[in-house]
Amino acid sequence: MDLYEHQGKELFERFGIPVSDGRVAESPEEARAAAEALGGPVVVKAQVLTGGRGKAGGVKFAADPREAEGHAQDILGLDIRGHVVRRLWIERASDIAKEYYVSVTFDRGEKRPLFMLTTHGGVDIEEVAASTPEALARLHIDPLVGFEPYQARWLCFEAGINDPGEQKQVIAIVERLYRAFVESDAMLCEINPLIVTPEGEVRALDSKFTVDDNALFRHPDVAEMRDSAAGDPQETLAREKGVTYVKLDGEVGILGNGAGLVMSTLDVIAQVGGRPANFCDLGGGGDAEGVVDALEVITSDGQVRSILFNVFGGITRCDEVARGILVALERMGIELPIVVRLDGTNADEGRGLLEEAAPENLRVEATMLSAAERAVELAA
Ligand code: GDP
Ligand code: MN
């Protein structure tokens, strides 16, 4: 789960990482009031779950509340790479002497968290890594040993931060960022830019904070930060219904039992020249309730042109799944073409049931490949 900048900063603050004072606003009037409350010049910042807002016109300086209101008017409703701005963060403006970068994320190859620190902040880190890799200090943390203070010092020296006052603050921030990362079950904590003010104060001016979805049960306060309106509508519906679903960009809706089988189904659809519309795992069950929920999510996607059921009966029996499909279709009345492939335990009974009682638009295929071909054909 990605957090908005202002939410990430709220977490930073809890862990003692210095941030600027600010307020959320959802209308030009609220932006004006926020600027008045903060006093002095402010920055009006689009809150969207994507980076590069500055370049897209989503970050604007305002000298007074009236100007803040005007910028808010311009930025609200702006489309930043497919994300429509509905919320703003009005922050007390900072004077910037230098822009640094610091992050901690997972290096899956190394199976350890990785810190990156550089004095070349304010630009995309990929750019720094490509053009001046020597300016990027990288350090892995052994999760069993944990973070050691000398590691923050090493990062500072390696990045070339030589000012003792800055060092002291950056070291504290690195240490707190690691705590924020571990204690929030984060996947990424990034500060870009980490600024140094003309007075030598170091502060987080931006925040990118991603928390592991699977750990949200441990962080109800973070889970509550989710903004359903900003998410994909199909994925939001799926979450509400408890359906394991990932929205993709194609036309063939996919339903299978078991994550591995569904993944293979996506591959086979691609292999025969189609594009899957989603990943959807029915899990162990195949009862009508589960099928109805999954089909409701899949068919709520207007891009879907055909639906492929790929079921392997292991513990789940194919005849039960077939009954589930029949009851679900009777209840829902779907008009899209549906292709079903059943194999494994009681497959013959399952196929028999479908051939007997299924509606016109459902056809049974014997193999995964032929089912995929048929589903792609019908989606065209
Ligand atoms: P991003 O473009 O989505 O990464 O948004 P940021 O929050 O990083 O803002 C983009 C850039 O705007 C920063 O790198 C800064 O250079 C600039 N900026 C943001 N806030 C302030 C501020 O308070 N004062 C000044 N002078 N510049 C700011
Ligand atoms: Mn940034």
Side-chain angles (χ1 to χ4, degrees):
M1 170 181 167
D2 294 329
L3 301 185
Y4 287 112
E5 173 196 6
H6 75 90
Q7 297 170 329
K9 283 180 167 172
E10 190 182 321
L11 294 186
F12 283 170
E13 207 168 9
R14 276 189 220 167
F15 287 92
I17 295 167
V19 292
S20 305
D21 207 5
R23 301 261 194 293
V24 170
E26 294 188 342
S27 68
E29 299 72 44
E30 280 178 30
R32 183 190 183 113
E36 268 160 12
L38 290 165
V42 294
V43 179
V44 179
K45 307 184 79 175
Q47 297 300 288
V48 280
L49 299 176
T50 181
R53 296 162 301 160
K55 279 184 210 151
V59 178
K60 290 205 169 123
F61 177 86
D64 55 50
R66 216 173 44 87
E67 207 180 329
E69 185 174 353
H71 288 328
Q73 187 91 50
D74 295 340
I75 297 175
L76 284 166
L78 199 69
D79 186 314
I80 301 183
R81 276 186 299 283
H83 299 254
V84 178
V85 183
R86 294 200 188 81
R87 191 187 297 181
L88 302 168
W89 174 241
I90 315 297
E91 181 172 280
R92 182 167 289 148
S94 304
D95 287 328
I96 302 178
K98 299 180 210 165
E99 293 191 316
Y100 295 169
Y101 168 102
V102 64
S103 71
V104 55
T105 184
F106 281 116
D107 183 342
R108 291 177 186 279
E110 290 286 330
K111 299 179 186 158
R112 284 182 291 174
L114 169 67
F115 260 107
M116 288 190 274
L117 175 63
T118 176
T119 56
H120 298 213
V123 290
D124 280 350
I125 193 61
E126 289 80 8
E127 224 173 286
V128 179
S131 60
T132 48
E134 68 284 352
L136 188 60
R138 295 161 47 94
L139 182 72
H140 289 99
I141 307 296
D142 186 323
L144 298 180
V145 177
F147 184 83
E148 300 278 338
Y150 79 86
Q151 294 178 307
R153 290 199 292 277
W154 185 91
L155 276 166
C156 260
F157 290 127
E158 189 71 10
I161 298 173
N162 300 316
D163 179 88
E166 284 178 27
Q167 282 174 355
K168 196 164 158 242
Q169 296 172 74
V170 173
I171 285 167
I173 288 170
V174 164
E175 194 159 352
R176 288 163 186 176
L177 197 63
Y178 190 72
R179 265 198 56 212
F181 180 77
V182 172
E183 291 180 22
S184 311
D185 289 298
M187 322 268 295
L188 168 72
C189 293
E190 183 188 78
I191 305 176
N192 188 24
L194 177 70
I195 60 156
V196 185
T197 67
E199 295 76 37
E201 195 195 321
V202 183
R203 208 159 53 211
L205 211 68
D206 192 5
S207 149
K208 224 185 230 178
F209 209 118
T210 308
V211 177
D212 185 349
D213 279 325
N214 296 309
L216 282 176
F217 73 97
R218 284 206 287 243
H219 308 284
D221 52 330
V222 177
E224 229 172 62
M225 292 177 176
R226 193 185 300 269
D227 177 10
S228 308
D232 181 88
Q234 277 78 46
E235 292 196 353
T236 305
L237 180 66
R239 209 159 29 240
E240 281 164 10
K241 291 189 171 288
V243 175
T244 308
Y245 172 95
V246 180
K247 166 94 172 84
L248 300 169
D249 208 26
E251 294 76 35
V252 183
I254 310 276
L255 239 108
N257 63 334
L261 181 65
V262 179
M263 297 281 255
S264 323
T265 312
L266 304 186
D267 287 345
V268 175
I269 288 292
Q271 186 192 328
V272 299
R275 295 195 316 160
N278 65 273
F279 169 102
C280 185
D281 178 11
L282 274 175
D287 59 319
E289 214 51 61
V291 177
V292 167
D293 284 345
L295 281 176
E296 273 178 0
V297 175
I298 289 172
T299 55
S300 72
D301 174 359
Q303 249 175 272
V304 172
R305 293 273 163 272
S306 71
I307 298 170
L308 170 58
F309 273 86
N310 191 9
V311 173
F312 186 83
I315 295 167
T316 313
R317 288 162 26 211
C318 289
D319 56 322
E320 264 174 22
V321 178
R323 276 190 203 95
I325 294 173
L326 288 172
V327 173
L329 291 183
E330 207 177 285
R331 251 196 258 169
M332 295 183 64
I334 293 176
E335 281 168 17
L336 293 166
I338 299 170
V339 181
V340 181
R341 175 258 185 173
L342 296 172
D343 208 347
T345 311
N346 292 3
D348 288 339
E349 289 91 321
R351 277 187 225 123
L353 281 168
L354 290 177
E355 267 150 22
E356 241 167 65
E360 284 285 294
N361 58 332
L362 183 149
R363 47 188 95 205
V364 179
E365 287 286 335
T367 70
M368 183 149 143
L369 188 62
S370 62
E373 282 168 346
R374 182 52 63 89
V376 171
E377 199 180 293
L378 289 166

